[in-house]
């Protein structure tokens, strides 16, 4: 019997799976119905939790057969809350701060190794595009977020 290598896919979310809303639920459904004997799935999420609907135990059970990695985005920080009061929080965070944070995480050894071994990355938040620059990986963006220039690009 031939031993074929599994297809390695990464889903990049701008929220935490515990949020349990639209995109989070979609990713959990992908996991539920994925042929895990043929596909290795990694979920790259952030610590952004704009309202928790799923428990830690539920997420652990639903993701027990996939790798989950979390990036700290500081969206619960005092600075972010101050910018939110000025109605600038999300815009400035998405345009500037997340880009800087993701560029910093490019140098995280564990995350870099995971990206290097991944074949396809599906961005459920196009702000992640800076994280994957320079890696030999197919990156597919979505129209769900604000950066239409990063829907498809080649490294």
């Amino acid at each position: 019997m031939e031993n074929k290598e599994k297809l390695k896919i990464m889903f990049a979310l701008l929220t935490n799976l515990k949020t349990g809303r639209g995109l989070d639920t979609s990713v959990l459904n992908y996991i539920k119905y994925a042929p895990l004997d043929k596909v290795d799935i990694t979920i790259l999420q952030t610590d952004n939790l704009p309202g928790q609907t799923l428990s830690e135990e539920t997420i652990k059970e639903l993701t027990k057969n996939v790798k989950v990695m979390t990036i700290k985005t500081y969206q619960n920080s005092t600075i972010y809350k101050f910018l939110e009061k000025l109605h600038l929080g999300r815009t400035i965070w998405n345009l500037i701060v997340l880009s800087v944070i993701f560029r910093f995480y490019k140098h995280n050894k564990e995350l870099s190794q995971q990206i290097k071994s991944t074949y396809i990355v599906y961005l459920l938040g196009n702000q992640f595009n800076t994280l994957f620059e320079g890696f030999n990986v197919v990156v597919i963006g979505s129209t769900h977020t604000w950066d239409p220039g990063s829907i498809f690009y080649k490294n």
Side-chain angles (χ1 to χ4, degrees):
M1 187 165 145
E2 190 177 327
N3 184 13
K4 291 190 175 183
E5 189 174 348
K6 291 182 177 184
L7 178 64
K8 296 176 183 173
I9 300 173
M10 181 180 285
F11 293 99
L13 286 160
L14 282 176
T15 56
N16 191 288
L17 286 172
K18 291 184 284 188
T19 304
R21 294 187 186 155
L23 291 174
D24 315 302
T25 302
S26 295
V27 171
L28 292 171
N29 278 322
Y30 294 152
I31 295 167
K32 182 178 180 180
Y33 296 107
L36 295 176
D37 59 324
K38 298 176 183 172
V39 178
D40 274 337
I41 295 176
T42 300
I43 298 169
L44 182 61
Q45 65 179 359
T46 69
D47 61 346
N48 183 19
L49 193 58
Q52 181 173 341
T53 63
L54 299 174
S55 69
E56 185 74 35
E57 295 78 29
T58 300
I59 294 302
K60 283 183 182 177
E61 178 61 28
L62 293 171
T63 61
K64 65 184 174 192
N65 296 315
V66 301
K67 184 172 183 77
V68 178
M69 301 179 83
T70 304
I71 289 180
K72 187 164 180 58
T73 61
Y74 304 95
Q75 284 184 275
N76 295 317
S77 69
T78 306
I79 296 169
Y80 183 80
K81 290 174 184 173
F82 172 74
L83 293 171
E84 278 287 291
K85 287 180 184 177
L86 299 175
H87 304 288
L88 297 171
R90 189 174 187 175
T91 303
I92 289 175
W93 216 261
N94 285 342
L95 290 173
I96 301 168
V97 179
L98 286 181
S99 178
V100 171
I101 290 170
F102 295 152
R103 286 183 193 283
F104 172 76
Y105 268 96
K106 282 177 78 163
H107 304 290
N108 176 288
K109 188 175 181 179
E110 182 185 6
L111 181 56
S112 291
Q113 289 300 327
Q114 192 66 35
I115 294 170
K116 285 177 186 175
S117 71
T118 299
Y119 301 134
I120 300 170
V121 175
Y122 187 77
L123 303 179
L124 295 158
N126 289 340
Q127 293 88 330
F128 272 108
N129 66 352
T130 56
L131 180 61
F132 300 101
E133 290 173 357
F135 288 99
N136 189 19
V137 60
V138 174
V139 177
I140 302 171
S142 71
T143 57
H144 183 75
T145 55
W146 59 268
D147 190 3
S150 66
I151 291 179
F152 292 99
Y153 71 89
K154 182 179 177 184
N155 283 323

